[in-house]
Protein backbone atom coordinates (compact mmCIF):
# COMPACT_ATOMS: atom_id res chain seq x y z
CA UNK A 1 0.00 0.00 0.00
CA UNK A 2 2.14 2.85 -1.29
CA UNK A 3 -0.70 5.19 -2.14
CA UNK A 4 -0.66 8.50 -0.30
CA UNK A 5 -4.16 9.34 0.92
CA UNK A 6 -5.17 12.88 1.79
CA UNK A 7 -8.44 14.57 2.67
CA UNK A 8 -9.40 18.20 3.06
CA UNK A 9 -12.35 20.34 4.04
CA UNK A 10 -12.75 23.95 5.16
CA UNK A 11 -14.12 23.05 8.59
CA UNK A 12 -12.73 22.02 11.98
CA UNK A 13 -12.19 18.27 12.08
CA UNK A 14 -15.11 16.39 13.60
CA UNK A 15 -17.29 19.46 14.09
CA UNK A 16 -20.66 19.94 12.42
CA UNK A 17 -21.96 18.04 9.41
CA UNK A 18 -18.93 18.51 7.13
CA UNK A 19 -16.43 18.10 9.96
CA UNK A 20 -18.12 14.86 10.98
CA UNK A 21 -18.12 13.69 7.36
CA UNK A 22 -14.38 14.42 7.12
CA UNK A 23 -13.78 12.44 10.31
CA UNK A 24 -15.81 9.56 8.90
CA UNK A 25 -13.61 9.41 5.77
CA UNK A 26 -10.47 9.30 7.90
CA UNK A 27 -11.85 6.49 10.07
CA UNK A 28 -12.61 4.51 6.93
CA UNK A 29 -9.08 5.03 5.64
CA UNK A 30 -7.69 3.83 8.96
CA UNK A 31 -10.02 0.81 8.87
CA UNK A 32 -8.50 -0.08 5.49
CA UNK A 33 -4.97 0.17 6.89
CA UNK A 34 -4.05 3.59 5.50
CA UNK A 35 -2.71 6.60 7.36
CA UNK A 36 -4.49 9.66 6.07
CA UNK A 37 -3.16 13.20 5.99
CA UNK A 38 -5.78 15.87 6.63
CA UNK A 39 -6.15 19.55 5.78
CA UNK A 40 -8.78 21.35 7.85
CA UNK A 41 -9.52 24.57 9.70
CA UNK A 42 -8.29 25.20 13.21
CA UNK A 43 -5.09 23.92 14.73
CA UNK A 44 -5.48 20.16 15.21
CA UNK A 45 -2.68 18.97 17.50
CA UNK A 46 -2.24 15.52 16.00
CA UNK A 47 0.24 13.94 13.59
CA UNK A 48 -0.65 14.10 9.93
CA UNK A 49 -2.99 17.10 10.31
CA UNK A 50 -2.37 20.47 8.73
CA UNK A 51 -4.38 23.40 10.04
CA UNK A 52 -5.35 25.96 7.40
CA UNK A 53 -5.89 29.37 9.06
CA UNK A 54 -9.00 31.37 8.31
CA UNK A 55 -8.42 34.08 5.70
CA UNK A 56 -6.99 37.34 7.04
CA UNK A 57 -9.99 39.24 5.67
CA UNK A 58 -12.42 37.11 7.67
CA UNK A 59 -12.32 39.40 10.72
CA UNK A 60 -12.93 42.67 8.91
CA UNK A 61 -15.80 41.36 6.78
CA UNK A 62 -18.15 42.03 9.69
CA UNK A 63 -17.48 45.74 9.21
CA UNK A 64 -18.40 45.71 5.51
CA UNK A 65 -21.64 45.14 3.57
CA UNK A 66 -20.33 41.66 2.68
CA UNK A 67 -21.39 40.52 6.17
CA UNK A 68 -24.93 40.43 4.76
CA UNK A 69 -23.86 38.27 1.79
CA UNK A 70 -23.18 34.72 3.02
CA UNK A 71 -22.93 33.45 -0.56
CA UNK A 72 -19.86 35.65 -1.08
CA UNK A 73 -18.33 34.48 2.18
CA UNK A 74 -18.92 30.81 1.36
CA UNK A 75 -17.45 31.22 -2.13
CA UNK A 76 -14.38 33.20 -1.02
CA UNK A 77 -13.76 30.97 1.98
CA UNK A 78 -13.76 27.90 -0.23
CA UNK A 79 -11.37 29.45 -2.75
CA UNK A 80 -8.97 30.60 -0.02
CA UNK A 81 -8.91 27.17 1.60
CA UNK A 82 -8.38 25.41 -1.72
CA UNK A 83 -5.57 27.74 -2.77
CA UNK A 84 -3.80 27.33 0.58
CA UNK A 85 -4.00 23.53 0.33
CA UNK A 86 -2.86 23.48 -3.31
CA UNK A 87 0.26 25.48 -2.44
CA UNK A 88 1.50 22.89 0.07
CA UNK A 89 0.01 19.74 -1.44
CA UNK A 90 2.73 17.16 -2.23
CA UNK A 91 3.80 16.73 -5.85
CA UNK A 92 3.48 12.97 -6.01
CA UNK A 93 0.92 10.32 -6.84
CA UNK A 94 -1.92 10.52 -4.33
CA UNK A 95 -5.65 10.11 -3.82
CA UNK A 96 -7.32 13.26 -2.54
CA UNK A 97 -10.80 13.45 -1.01
CA UNK A 98 -12.47 16.83 -0.71
CA UNK A 99 -15.86 18.55 -0.78
CA UNK A 100 -17.71 20.82 -3.23
CA UNK A 101 -16.39 24.37 -3.34
CA UNK A 102 -13.08 23.50 -1.64
CA UNK A 103 -11.23 21.44 -4.24
CA UNK A 104 -10.72 22.90 -7.73
CA UNK A 105 -7.09 24.08 -7.55
CA UNK A 106 -5.96 21.10 -5.49
CA UNK A 107 -7.72 18.65 -7.82
CA UNK A 108 -5.84 20.19 -10.76
CA UNK A 109 -2.52 19.65 -8.94
CA UNK A 110 -3.44 16.07 -8.07
CA UNK A 111 -4.39 15.34 -11.69
CA UNK A 112 -1.17 16.94 -12.96
CA UNK A 113 0.73 14.40 -10.88
CA UNK A 114 -1.33 11.49 -12.19
CA UNK A 115 -3.32 11.08 -8.98
CA UNK A 116 -6.95 10.26 -8.27
CA UNK A 117 -9.63 12.70 -7.09
CA UNK A 118 -12.71 11.89 -5.02
CA UNK A 119 -15.40 14.49 -4.38
CA UNK A 120 -17.64 13.85 -1.38
CA UNK A 121 -20.93 15.21 -2.73
CA UNK A 122 -22.41 16.11 0.71
CA UNK A 123 -25.56 17.49 -1.01
CA UNK A 124 -27.57 16.72 -4.09
CA UNK A 125 -26.22 18.09 -7.39
CA UNK A 126 -25.07 21.71 -7.00
CA UNK A 127 -27.60 23.00 -9.53
CA UNK A 128 -30.42 21.42 -7.51
CA UNK A 129 -29.14 22.88 -4.25
CA UNK A 130 -28.96 26.40 -5.67
CA UNK A 131 -32.29 26.22 -7.51
CA UNK A 132 -34.21 24.89 -4.51
CA UNK A 133 -32.69 27.19 -1.90
CA UNK A 134 -32.87 30.30 -4.08
CA UNK A 135 -36.56 29.71 -4.79
CA UNK A 136 -37.26 29.17 -1.11
CA UNK A 137 -35.41 32.33 -0.02
CA UNK A 138 -37.36 34.36 -2.58
CA UNK A 139 -40.65 32.79 -1.54
CA UNK A 140 -40.03 33.70 2.10
CA UNK A 141 -38.50 37.09 1.22
CA UNK A 142 -35.48 36.23 3.36
CA UNK A 143 -32.00 36.91 2.02
CA UNK A 144 -28.90 34.97 2.91
CA UNK A 145 -28.77 32.03 0.51
CA UNK A 146 -25.25 30.64 1.10
CA UNK A 147 -25.07 29.39 -2.49
CA UNK A 148 -24.54 31.46 -5.63
CA UNK A 149 -24.23 30.97 -9.41
CA UNK A 150 -20.45 31.43 -9.03
CA UNK A 151 -20.36 28.63 -6.46
CA UNK A 152 -22.33 26.38 -8.80
CA UNK A 153 -19.93 27.08 -11.68
CA UNK A 154 -16.95 26.28 -9.46
CA UNK A 155 -18.49 23.03 -8.24
CA UNK A 156 -19.36 22.04 -11.82
CA UNK A 157 -15.65 22.30 -12.68
CA UNK A 158 -14.85 20.15 -9.64
CA UNK A 159 -17.34 17.54 -10.87
CA UNK A 160 -15.43 17.40 -14.15
CA UNK A 161 -12.11 17.02 -12.33
CA UNK A 162 -13.37 14.30 -9.99
CA UNK A 163 -12.63 10.71 -10.92
CA UNK A 164 -15.31 9.63 -8.47
CA UNK A 165 -18.18 11.29 -6.65
CA UNK A 166 -19.34 9.69 -3.41
CA UNK A 167 -22.96 9.92 -2.31
CA UNK A 168 -24.60 8.81 0.93
CA UNK A 169 -28.19 8.52 -0.32
CA UNK A 170 -30.28 7.46 -3.28
CA UNK A 171 -31.58 11.02 -3.53
CA UNK A 172 -28.05 12.27 -4.18
CA UNK A 173 -27.26 9.50 -6.66
CA UNK A 174 -30.42 10.19 -8.66
CA UNK A 175 -29.64 13.92 -8.86
CA UNK A 176 -26.33 13.10 -10.62
CA UNK A 177 -27.59 10.28 -12.80
CA UNK A 178 -30.39 12.49 -14.14
CA UNK A 179 -27.70 14.76 -15.54
CA UNK A 180 -25.95 12.01 -17.42
CA UNK A 181 -23.13 11.19 -15.01
CA UNK A 182 -21.63 7.79 -15.69
CA UNK A 183 -22.95 5.42 -13.03
CA UNK A 184 -19.44 3.96 -12.59
CA UNK A 185 -18.26 7.35 -11.26
CA UNK A 186 -20.94 7.46 -8.55
CA UNK A 187 -19.96 5.57 -5.39
CA UNK A 188 -22.81 5.02 -2.93
CA UNK A 189 -22.16 4.41 0.75
CA UNK A 190 -24.30 5.74 3.66
CA UNK A 191 -22.69 7.60 6.52
CA UNK A 192 -22.69 6.35 10.10
CA UNK A 193 -23.25 7.63 13.63
CA UNK A 194 -22.07 6.89 17.15
CA UNK A 195 -24.97 4.76 18.36
CA UNK A 196 -23.35 4.19 21.76
CA UNK A 197 -23.34 7.93 22.49
CA UNK A 198 -26.69 8.68 20.86
CA UNK A 199 -28.72 6.25 22.92
CA UNK A 200 -32.02 6.57 24.77
CA UNK A 201 -31.81 7.86 28.32
CA UNK A 202 -31.64 4.99 30.86
CA UNK A 203 -34.81 6.25 32.52
CA UNK A 204 -36.59 6.65 29.19
CA UNK A 205 -40.31 6.63 29.91
CA UNK A 206 -43.28 5.65 27.84
CA UNK A 207 -43.87 7.96 24.93
CA UNK A 208 -41.23 10.41 26.19
CA UNK A 209 -43.68 13.19 26.90
CA UNK A 210 -42.29 15.45 29.60
CA UNK A 211 -43.53 15.33 33.17
CA UNK A 212 -44.64 18.90 32.61
CA UNK A 213 -47.04 17.69 29.92
CA UNK A 214 -45.10 19.37 27.11
CA UNK A 215 -44.77 17.53 23.80
CA UNK A 216 -41.32 18.54 22.53
CA UNK A 217 -40.49 18.40 18.85
CA UNK A 218 -36.81 18.76 18.11
CA UNK A 219 -34.87 19.73 15.03
CA UNK A 220 -31.06 19.76 15.02
CA UNK A 221 -28.77 21.59 12.61
CA UNK A 222 -28.22 25.07 11.29
CA UNK A 223 -31.45 27.02 11.57
CA UNK A 224 -31.72 27.92 7.91
CA UNK A 225 -34.12 28.09 5.00
CA UNK A 226 -32.51 25.00 3.48
CA UNK A 227 -33.27 23.01 6.63
CA UNK A 228 -36.91 24.08 6.39
CA UNK A 229 -37.36 25.16 10.01
CA UNK A 230 -40.18 27.46 8.87
CA UNK A 231 -42.30 24.56 7.61
CA UNK A 232 -42.07 22.89 11.02
CA UNK A 233 -43.10 26.14 12.71
CA UNK A 234 -45.92 26.62 10.18
CA UNK A 235 -47.23 23.14 10.98
CA UNK A 236 -47.13 23.71 14.73
CA UNK A 237 -48.81 27.09 14.33
CA UNK A 238 -51.51 25.43 12.24
CA UNK A 239 -52.20 22.91 15.02
CA UNK A 240 -52.54 25.67 17.63
CA UNK A 241 -51.76 23.21 20.45
CA UNK A 242 -50.35 25.02 23.52
CA UNK A 243 -48.76 21.78 24.77
CA UNK A 244 -46.36 21.58 21.80
CA UNK A 245 -42.92 23.12 22.06
CA UNK A 246 -40.40 23.25 19.21
CA UNK A 247 -36.75 22.89 20.24
CA UNK A 248 -34.27 24.16 17.61
CA UNK A 249 -30.71 23.03 18.29
CA UNK A 250 -28.28 24.90 16.07
CA UNK A 251 -26.86 28.25 15.12
CA UNK A 252 -28.78 31.10 13.53
CA UNK A 253 -26.54 32.66 10.92
CA UNK A 254 -28.88 35.31 9.55
CA UNK A 255 -30.60 38.21 11.29
CA UNK A 256 -33.83 37.91 9.30
CA UNK A 257 -34.18 34.28 10.38
CA UNK A 258 -33.85 35.26 14.04
CA UNK A 259 -36.50 37.92 13.39
CA UNK A 260 -38.82 35.36 11.81
CA UNK A 261 -38.51 33.11 14.86
CA UNK A 262 -39.58 36.00 17.07
CA UNK A 263 -42.57 36.56 14.80
CA UNK A 264 -43.64 32.94 15.23
CA UNK A 265 -43.33 33.36 18.99
CA UNK A 266 -45.49 36.46 18.86
CA UNK A 267 -48.18 34.37 17.18
CA UNK A 268 -48.14 31.82 19.99
CA UNK A 269 -45.69 29.16 18.80
CA UNK A 270 -43.57 27.88 21.70
CA UNK A 271 -39.94 27.83 20.54
CA UNK A 272 -36.74 27.13 22.44
CA UNK A 273 -33.36 27.69 20.78
CA UNK A 274 -30.73 25.47 22.36
CA UNK A 275 -27.30 25.62 20.70
CA UNK A 276 -24.67 23.13 21.75
CA UNK A 277 -24.69 19.38 22.38
CA UNK A 278 -28.03 18.02 21.10
CA UNK A 279 -28.04 14.84 23.18
CA UNK A 280 -29.69 16.24 26.35
CA UNK A 281 -32.42 17.87 24.24
CA UNK A 282 -32.94 14.67 22.24
CA UNK A 283 -33.45 12.70 25.42
CA UNK A 284 -36.14 15.14 26.57
CA UNK A 285 -37.95 15.25 23.24
CA UNK A 286 -40.93 13.26 22.01
CA UNK A 287 -40.46 13.55 18.26
CA UNK A 288 -37.84 14.53 15.69
CA UNK A 289 -38.88 16.48 12.58
CA UNK A 290 -36.56 16.97 9.61
CA UNK A 291 -38.45 19.42 7.40
CA UNK A 292 -35.59 20.20 4.99
CA UNK A 293 -36.26 21.37 1.48
CA UNK A 294 -32.94 19.77 0.43
CA UNK A 295 -30.51 17.58 2.36
CA UNK A 296 -28.14 15.05 0.87
CA UNK A 297 -28.29 12.65 3.82
CA UNK A 298 -28.98 14.05 7.28
CA UNK A 299 -26.95 12.70 10.19
CA UNK A 300 -28.95 14.62 12.80
CA UNK A 301 -32.23 12.74 12.21
CA UNK A 302 -30.36 9.43 12.33
CA UNK A 303 -28.80 10.44 15.66
CA UNK A 304 -32.28 11.27 16.95
CA UNK A 305 -33.54 7.86 15.86
CA UNK A 306 -30.60 6.29 17.64
CA UNK A 307 -31.70 8.14 20.78
CA UNK A 308 -35.11 6.48 20.47
CA UNK A 309 -37.15 9.11 18.65
CA UNK A 310 -39.46 8.48 15.70
CA UNK A 311 -38.57 10.82 12.84
CA UNK A 312 -40.73 12.67 10.36
CA UNK A 313 -38.67 13.59 7.29
CA UNK A 314 -39.41 15.09 3.88
CA UNK A 315 -39.01 13.39 0.53
CA UNK A 316 -36.25 15.88 -0.33
CA UNK A 317 -33.78 14.49 2.18
CA UNK A 318 -31.60 11.42 1.83
CA UNK A 319 -32.91 10.30 5.20
CA UNK A 320 -35.96 8.89 3.43
CA UNK A 321 -33.69 5.90 2.66
CA UNK A 322 -33.82 4.83 6.31
CA UNK A 323 -37.49 5.54 7.06
CA UNK A 324 -40.01 2.75 6.78
CA UNK A 325 -43.13 4.88 6.41
CA UNK A 326 -45.35 4.22 9.42
CA UNK A 327 -42.82 1.88 11.05
CA UNK A 328 -40.01 4.04 12.46
CA UNK A 329 -41.25 7.40 11.25
CA UNK A 330 -43.04 9.10 8.39
CA UNK A 331 -42.03 10.57 5.02
CA UNK A 332 -44.00 13.65 3.98
CA UNK A 333 -43.82 15.74 0.80
CA UNK A 334 -41.41 18.64 1.04
CA UNK A 335 -43.11 21.98 1.87
CA UNK A 336 -46.40 20.20 2.72
CA UNK A 337 -47.43 21.87 5.98
CA UNK A 338 -50.72 19.98 6.17
CA UNK A 339 -49.10 16.56 5.89
CA UNK A 340 -46.49 17.53 8.47
CA UNK A 341 -49.13 18.80 10.90
CA UNK A 342 -51.14 15.60 10.44
CA UNK A 343 -48.15 13.40 11.37
CA UNK A 344 -47.35 15.54 14.40
CA UNK A 345 -50.94 15.39 15.59
CA UNK A 346 -51.12 11.60 15.14
CA UNK A 347 -47.91 10.93 17.05
CA UNK A 348 -48.80 13.34 19.83
CA UNK A 349 -52.17 11.71 20.38
CA UNK A 350 -51.02 8.09 20.08
CA UNK A 351 -48.47 7.33 22.78
CA UNK A 352 -48.36 3.59 22.05
CA UNK A 353 -47.59 4.20 18.39
CA UNK A 354 -44.94 6.77 19.29
CA UNK A 355 -43.25 4.36 21.67
CA UNK A 356 -43.37 1.53 19.15
CA UNK A 357 -41.95 3.71 16.39
CA UNK A 358 -39.22 5.02 18.69
CA UNK A 359 -38.08 1.47 19.41
CA UNK A 360 -38.09 0.67 15.70
CA UNK A 361 -36.13 3.87 15.03
CA UNK A 362 -33.43 2.81 17.49
CA UNK A 363 -33.19 -0.61 15.84
CA UNK A 364 -32.84 1.00 12.41
CA UNK A 365 -30.15 3.41 13.62
CA UNK A 366 -28.05 0.52 14.93
CA UNK A 367 -27.69 -0.64 11.33
CA UNK A 368 -25.88 2.66 10.63
CA UNK A 369 -23.37 2.47 13.48
CA UNK A 370 -20.09 4.20 12.62
CA UNK A 371 -18.03 1.01 12.82
CA UNK A 372 -20.25 -0.75 10.31
CA UNK A 373 -20.58 2.26 8.01
CA UNK A 374 -16.83 2.92 7.91
CA UNK A 375 -16.19 -0.72 6.98
CA UNK A 376 -18.68 -0.46 4.12
CA UNK A 377 -17.11 2.79 2.91
CA UNK A 378 -13.61 1.32 3.18
CA UNK A 379 -14.62 -1.76 1.17
CA UNK A 380 -16.11 0.46 -1.53
CA UNK A 381 -13.11 2.81 -1.78
CA UNK A 382 -10.24 0.37 -1.25
CA UNK A 383 -9.94 -0.40 -4.99
CA UNK A 384 -9.56 3.34 -5.62
CA UNK A 385 -7.04 3.74 -2.80
CA UNK A 386 -5.03 0.79 -4.07
CA UNK A 387 -5.02 2.00 -7.67
CA UNK A 388 -1.47 3.31 -7.28
Amino acid sequence: MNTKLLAGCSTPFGMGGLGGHLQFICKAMEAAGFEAEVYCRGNPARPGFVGVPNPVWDKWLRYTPVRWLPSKQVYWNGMQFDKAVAEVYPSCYSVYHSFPGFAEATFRKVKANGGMTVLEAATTHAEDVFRITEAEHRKRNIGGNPFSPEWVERVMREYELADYITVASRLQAESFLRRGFDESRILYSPLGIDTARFSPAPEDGEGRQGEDGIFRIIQVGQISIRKGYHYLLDAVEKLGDPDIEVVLVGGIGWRSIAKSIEEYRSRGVRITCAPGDPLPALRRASLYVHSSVEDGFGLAPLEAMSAGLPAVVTDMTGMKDVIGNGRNGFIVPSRDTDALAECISLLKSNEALRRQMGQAARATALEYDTARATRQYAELLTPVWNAG
Side-chain angles (χ1 to χ4, degrees), residues 230-287:
H230 45 295
Y231 286 107
L232 169 56
L233 298 182
D234 285 344
V236 172
E237 182 178 15
K238 180 181 181 67
L239 289 171
D241 188 333
D243 293 334
I244 294 178
E245 178 182 42
V246 177
V247 181
L248 301 174
V249 181
I252 302 175
W254 195 243
R255 185 171 59 179
S256 54
I257 290 177
K259 182 180 178 181
S260 78
I261 290 173
E262 289 306 316
E263 290 172 352
Y264 279 106
R265 283 178 173 144
S266 72
R267 298 198 298 268
V269 181
R270 296 180 59 162
I271 305 169
T272 296
C273 295
D277 183 3
L279 185 58
L282 288 170
R283 287 179 167 174
R284 295 187 67 209
S286 305
L287 172 66

Side-chain angles (χ1 to χ4, degrees), residues 52-66:
V52 179
N54 287 325
V56 294
W57 40 258
D58 190 50
K59 292 182 179 179
W60 58 258
L61 279 184
R62 70 191 68 176
Y63 304 110
T64 74
V66 177

Side-chain angles (χ1 to χ4, degrees), residues 6-13 18-19 22 37-44 49-58 72-89 96-107 109 119 154 158:
L6 301 97
C9 186
S10 180
T11 185
F13 186 76
L18 287 181
L22 179 63
E37 295 185 21
V38 179
Y39 300 97
C40 59
R41 294 294 189 187
N43 187 25
F49 280 66
V50 178
V52 179
N54 287 325
V56 294
W57 40 258
D58 190 50
K72 294 292 186 185
Q73 296 176 47
V74 167
Y75 182 71
W76 292 345
N77 180 288
M79 289 187 65
Q80 183 269 342
F81 177 85
D82 181 32
K83 181 180 178 181
V85 173
E87 287 177 351
V88 298
Y89 196 92
Y96 182 56
H97 287 245
S98 192
F99 293 78
F102 307 139
E104 182 180 4
T106 312
F107 272 8
K109 186 170 184 178
L119 193 68
R154 177 176 171 81
E158 292 170 344

Side-chain angles (χ1 to χ4, degrees), residues 39 108 115 124 161 327 335:
Y39 300 97
R108 293 190 187 283
T124 54
L161 289 165
R327 183 178 61 84
R335 305 181 179 89

Side-chain angles (χ1 to χ4, degrees), residues 10 25 48 59 64 72 76 87-88 93 104 110 114 122 147 149 163 181 184 199 228 262 269 275 305 316 350-351 383:
S10 180
I25 295 167
K59 292 182 179 179
T64 74
K72 294 292 186 185
W76 292 345
E87 287 177 351
V88 298
Y93 179 88
E104 182 180 4
V110 173
F147 307 109
D163 292 299
F181 279 70
S184 64
S199 60
E262 289 306 316
V269 181
M305 293 172 69
M316 281 304 297
N350 193 329
E351 185 176 293

